[in-house]
Amino acid sequence: MLCSCKQTCMNKAHELLTRFKSRFGVGASIYRAPGRVNLIGEHTDYNEGFVLPAAIGFSCWVGIAPRDDRKVSIYSENFKETRDADLDDLGTHGLGHWSDYPVGAAWALQEAGYRLRGANLYIAGNVPLGAGLSSSAAIEVSTGYALLSVAGHAIDRTKLALLCQRAENNFVGARVGIMDQFVSCHGRAGHALMIDCRSLEYRTLQLPPKVSLVICNTMVKHKLQAGEYNVRRAECEEAVRKLSAALPGIRSLREVDLEQLTQNRGLLSETLYRRCRHVISENARVRKVADLFAQGKIGGLREVMSASHQSMRDDYEISCRELDVMVKIAERQRGLYGARMTGGGFGGCTINLVDVEQAADFERLVSAEYESEIGLRPDVYICEASQGAERVETTAENVPNVTR
Ligand code: GLA
């Protein structure tokens, strides 16, 4: 199979191999794992609910070759820096440094019993950093995949996703759900993934034809982001504890429906009630969109995505002025099938499903209108759903092929 990103991937693999050789003096195997965009289902993953993300064409690339000792020497092209770590002494938590992600992946794999080999790694990524497009999952998964492969282990994609999530939860210290790592491992070109975050079963759903995924970066990232994410998680956990007085045995908001929530509203503060209403209604919206895509339909998407955005803005309170303005501007454009903020919130990006033929105009008009209202020039990425993590084989003629 030819590399899923075709020309870009081939060039990148070739480039990386050349740079690896000039840095380390030997050849390398090349691995790639993508970032993601979530189409719908926000803050539902850690509530054991449903999400509908797609892997995107931006990736993290890792060149790797084994060493004879137990050291991993990791060079980041983005940060122009090397981190050396000893596989027998990785520590138990990160240092607040970019290298926490690859070292954390090595840590989680070894904690799970995988014996790793020392290696030289060259990492280069083009997932925009801090934009909410999961550059962290991309670096964890690509490194984890590369380290497992160089040590001769078979790849179990779901296990790799869970261990990369563990790296981020326990080593890096961010209590994220499973969505990002899962789609980075399992993504499929042209498809979104409907993931059941309780059973980890998933369905690949072909995106409607003639639709571009247009991601608009607000270029802001409010400080609240990391802290508020954990606050939302804790609120959901508290709501489950309170609701279980009336609904014994429930483990997560996944098990509660809107009727039960309304009946037991008295057990919750107004804030907790609204947090629950978002999660429960968002799960229903994911199912609705999955049903539409399963039937190859797109009519009705706009209303569902708009309701999702409103729910995040008013009930979950994770939006911000820039995101709201970006969505409002998108809703005025031709060719729009649906728009909402995407990811953790408090800045980052919106996701817009746009008619392929209107995507270029959409980009131009949204950029100009956002800049005149907010005073920042947004980055706009016109993407396709891409393939998940893979090895990119560079043959003698330097024509990469992928094995999955
Ligand atoms: C971040 C986390 C995900 C998910 C989203 C919100 O991207 O990494 O696990 O919780 O926020 O949907």
Side-chain angles (χ1 to χ4, degrees):
M1 176 172 56
L2 195 63
C3 176
S4 55
C5 347
K6 303 195 180 78
Q7 206 54 42
T8 325
C9 183
M10 289 160 72
N11 293 342
K12 194 74 197 171
H14 183 99
E15 258 171 52
L16 203 74
L17 187 60
T18 311
R19 292 187 196 155
F20 189 98
K21 277 185 184 155
S22 71
R23 175 160 287 269
F24 295 110
V26 289
S29 308
I30 312 284
Y31 298 86
R32 178 193 74 84
R36 64 98 188 92
V37 67
N38 190 17
L39 306 189
I40 197 156
E42 227 62 83
H43 289 259
T44 44
D45 59 354
Y46 56 79
N47 286 300
E48 300 196 329
F50 301 99
V51 290
L52 194 71
I56 51 178
F58 294 122
S59 292
C60 181
W61 301 75
V62 175
I64 190 167
R67 299 169 53 111
D68 292 331
D69 57 11
R70 301 275 300 147
K71 218 165 93 175
V72 281
S73 183
I74 309 169
Y75 175 74
S76 160
E77 188 176 88
N78 299 68
F79 293 94
K80 308 263 175 289
E81 210 176 56
T82 301
R83 160 95 186 266
D84 289 335
D86 179 349
L87 282 174
D88 295 323
D89 186 17
L90 292 175
T92 51
H93 52 79
L95 312 168
H97 192 245
W98 63 265
S99 61
D100 294 349
Y101 297 95
V103 174
W107 170 83
L109 291 170
Q110 291 204 136
E111 284 286 297
Y114 288 104
R115 169 102 183 146
L116 299 180
R117 269 188 89 164
N120 291 325
L121 288 87
Y122 188 112
I123 300 186
N126 63 5
V127 185
L129 298 182
L133 300 177
S134 290
S135 56
S136 40
I139 187 171
E140 291 153 5
V141 171
S142 53
T143 312
Y145 199 127
L147 286 169
L148 283 173
S149 304
V150 90
H153 298 291
I155 306 293
D156 173 332
R157 286 171 186 273
T158 298
K159 213 164 168 187
L160 177 58
L162 285 164
L163 290 174
C164 289
Q165 181 199 16
R166 173 133 198 259
E168 196 151 340
N169 289 168
N170 298 1
F171 196 87
V172 177
R175 293 189 69 205
V176 295
I178 187 63
M179 168 168 70
D180 307 349
Q181 292 80 7
F182 196 94
V183 68
S184 184
C185 285
H186 285 285
R188 176 139 164 232
H191 292 70
L193 261 51
M194 154 76 154
I195 308 167
D196 177 336
C197 299
R198 180 167 65 185
S199 67
L200 295 186
E201 281 164 4
Y202 69 100
R203 269 198 299 162
T204 51
L205 292 164
Q206 189 165 20
L207 289 170
K210 302 219 291 179
V211 170
S212 287
L213 302 179
V214 184
I215 300 170
C216 297
N217 189 344
T218 59
M219 313 306 275
V220 299
K221 184 187 176 188
H222 294 293
K223 277 207 203 87
L224 282 172
Q225 200 170 38
E228 288 295 309
Y229 186 91
N230 291 342
V231 170
R232 294 297 176 283
R233 276 199 81 147
E235 285 170 341
C236 292
E237 285 159 10
E238 190 188 341
V240 169
R241 273 196 303 277
K242 296 207 155 134
L243 287 170
S244 67
L247 306 166
I250 57 162
R251 237 181 43 181
S252 68
L253 290 177
R254 156 72 173 273
E255 290 155 76
V256 182
D257 61 29
L258 278 179
E259 202 184 316
Q260 290 169 320
L261 178 68
T262 314
Q263 278 163 3
N264 295 295
R265 188 172 180 165
L267 295 173
L268 303 172
S269 65
E270 176 60 21
T271 302
L272 288 191
Y273 168 73
R274 284 189 287 111
R275 303 296 189 249
C276 295
R277 187 166 62 182
H278 164 72
V279 172
I280 296 168
S281 62
E282 185 78 349
N283 276 330
R285 287 187 284 269
V286 176
R287 288 182 143 131
K288 209 179 249 176
V289 174
D291 285 347
L292 285 176
F293 286 175
Q295 296 167 49
K297 289 188 187 155
I298 199 151
L301 182 68
R302 189 182 178 113
E303 292 70 26
V304 188
M305 287 183 75
S306 167
S308 170
H309 186 81
Q310 281 168 39
S311 175
M312 289 187 281
R313 186 191 62 202
D314 303 336
D315 277 356
Y316 220 63
E317 296 180 282
I318 52 171
S319 189
C320 60
R321 175 163 174 258
E322 294 85 355
L323 286 165
D324 295 342
V325 165
M326 192 73 96
V327 166
K328 208 171 266 161
I329 292 172
E331 285 176 341
R332 296 203 285 261
Q333 310 303 323
R334 284 212 195 146
L336 179 84
Y337 293 118
R340 60 188 275 284
M341 58 149 276
T342 184
F346 304 104
C349 296
T350 64
I351 170 70
N352 305 272
L353 275 74
V354 181
D355 188 287
V356 185
E357 276 157 30
Q358 310 271 357
D361 282 350
F362 181 91
E363 170 178 6
R364 190 171 46 78
L365 294 168
V366 169
S367 297
E369 289 180 38
Y370 181 81
E371 188 174 5
S372 90
E373 200 159 336
I374 299 289
L376 290 170
R377 183 96 190 145
D379 282 344
V380 177
Y381 322 108
I382 301 181
C383 295
E384 281 171 25
S386 86
Q387 201 68 15
E390 57 199 3
R391 175 176 179 181
V392 185
E393 278 173 32
T394 44
T395 63
E397 299 80 40
N398 282 323
V399 178
N401 280 297
V402 293
T403 40
R404 283 175 58 79

